[in-house]
Amino acid sequence: MPFWANRFDSCILRQRIFPAQKEDNLEKYRPTEFDKKTHARNLGWFRELLREDGVWEYEVIGREKYIFKLRGGETLEIIHFDMEIENGEYKWNDFLLAEIEGEEVGYLYLGVHLPNRKDKTSKAVSDIDVLVKGLGIGGRLEAVKQLLLQRRANNIGVIKNVIFDENQIWIDKEMTQINRKFRKSSNLMEYKNNITELLIKRQNWLVIYGNGGKGNYEHHEIKSVFWGSEGKEIYKIYQPGEAIPRLNCEVKQTRVDLRKRASKFVNEE
């Protein structure tokens, strides 16, 4: 189980994702209530730890900034931060922060173990959440992650990247709430709209991480119920010596420390 698995019980979100003064500029990106709720819960744990007075005393140093142009002309910046943690559970820790117009719209965490002494394979776990759906942010975060993993595999050997299906967990919880609400109100049209929205969100996740999806992840049944996987292990193997993926974007170097930068991502308003 990854070290962030219990964050749902410990996180306290201390800021609004989109402050009032930005509403006009970001109106076309407005997330749904479901997306805001799940994103806040997922991201809140990281916020608490990454604030300057957080419980982890380490630097989160910027390495590269990947700059993409989206379909609507927006500029998406994905900043790669290297999380220097001594005596941590993972040898290498990376954090990708996605921003549009300086506003946080998604993140991806990646942790890689030291190679297993027996089979020389490293295990990597990753966690992704996107606040604004439909712009291709998730796919680009995934693409940068795959670049980082292949680059690392070329240096340390085989890496097995395991994915946790939190998307299904959140949808199941939301379905429970929708059914309870429907039993009270019997509003069939509202019920259909809510169910349709959840189906679309599930399909968007499966496009990348589903069996046969764009991410090329394998799906294997396992005997034990792995956290967030419901008896199924979802993974992708990175072999050393393979080509590093080429991204259609501009890349710049950066040395900003996420914990010290003047960003609403970390600090309270």
Side-chain angles (χ1 to χ4, degrees):
M1 181 178 292
F3 73 86
W4 36 263
N6 294 321
R7 66 182 179 276
F8 298 129
D9 295 328
S10 62
C11 70
I12 302 174
L13 187 65
R14 295 178 179 271
Q15 70 168 63
R16 292 172 296 169
I17 300 297
F18 287 113
Q21 64 266 27
K22 289 286 186 178
E23 281 189 354
D24 291 338
N25 292 335
L26 296 172
E27 185 61 34
K28 58 184 175 182
Y29 313 133
R30 299 306 294 176
T32 65
E33 290 302 315
F34 173 79
D35 289 332
K36 287 192 290 186
K37 181 166 58 177
T38 57
H39 189 72
R41 291 291 301 275
N42 288 343
L43 186 58
W45 192 80
F46 284 109
R47 286 185 190 275
E48 290 299 299
L49 297 180
L50 294 176
R51 288 167 51 218
E52 289 191 63
D53 59 348
V55 298
W56 284 356
E57 296 182 357
Y58 59 87
E59 291 184 318
V60 188
I61 300 297
R63 299 302 182 191
E64 305 96 24
K65 181 186 295 185
Y66 300 85
I67 305 171
F68 296 89
K69 284 296 183 181
L70 302 180
R71 291 186 297 270
E74 305 91 350
T75 298
L76 170 69
E77 293 188 350
I78 296 179
I79 309 170
H80 169 216
F81 293 95
D82 185 358
M83 304 164 70
E84 302 286 348
I85 306 175
E86 294 184 5
N87 301 320
E89 183 176 351
Y90 298 95
K91 176 62 176 178
W92 295 277
N93 296 267
D94 301 282
F95 192 84
L96 300 178
L97 176 64
E99 294 184 336
I100 294 178
E101 298 185 15
E103 295 296 323
E104 184 267 322
V105 292
Y107 78 89
L108 187 147
Y109 165 77
L110 175 64
V112 183
H113 278 291
L114 283 168
N116 182 286
R117 292 183 179 180
K118 184 176 181 180
D119 60 13
K120 307 300 182 182
T121 297
S122 298
K123 178 183 175 183
V125 297
S126 52
D127 179 34
I128 183 174
D129 196 277
V130 176
L131 177 62
V132 183
K133 306 300 192 295
L135 294 179
I137 297 169
R140 287 170 173 83
L141 280 167
E142 174 69 17
V144 175
K145 182 198 77 173
Q146 294 199 13
L147 180 151
L148 296 178
L149 280 173
Q150 187 57 58
R151 190 163 66 190
R152 194 146 284 153
N154 289 346
N155 291 326
I156 68 173
V158 179
I159 296 178
K160 181 180 182 180
N161 179 210
V162 179
I163 297 296
F164 301 100
D165 192 355
E166 292 187 22
N167 179 263
Q168 187 64 62
I169 294 174
W170 283 112
I171 286 179
D172 288 345
K173 289 182 178 181
E174 189 71 10
M175 276 295 303
T176 300
Q177 297 299 320
I178 291 173
N179 287 328
R180 287 175 180 172
K181 186 176 181 180
F182 177 68
R183 284 195 292 268
K184 293 180 179 180
S185 67
S186 299
N187 187 329
L188 185 59
M189 183 59 68
E190 180 183 17
Y191 182 78
K192 287 182 176 179
N193 290 339
N194 290 335
I195 296 300
T196 299
E197 180 181 329
L198 291 184
L199 287 173
I200 292 173
K201 294 182 186 305
R202 184 59 181 168
Q203 287 302 312
N204 288 339
W205 189 90
L206 291 172
V207 164
I208 298 177
Y209 300 106
N211 199 359
K214 294 179 180 179
N216 297 318
Y217 287 91
E218 296 188 39
H219 289 230
H220 285 189
E221 298 295 330
I222 55 178
K223 293 182 180 179
S224 61
V225 178
F226 206 29
W227 182 83
S229 299
E230 299 296 332
K232 181 179 292 185
E233 187 179 42
I234 306 170
Y235 65 89
K236 180 176 179 178
I237 302 295
Y238 292 82
Q239 298 285 355
E242 296 186 1
I244 296 176
R246 298 183 64 180
L247 305 181
N248 184 23
C249 68
E250 180 183 1
V251 182
K252 294 182 178 180
Q253 298 300 309
T254 178
R255 288 288 298 174
V256 65
D257 184 346
L258 179 59
R259 294 188 65 175
K260 296 179 180 179
R261 72 192 287 244
S263 169
K264 299 183 184 65
F265 174 74
V266 175
N267 300 314
E268 296 176 309
E269 290 188 297

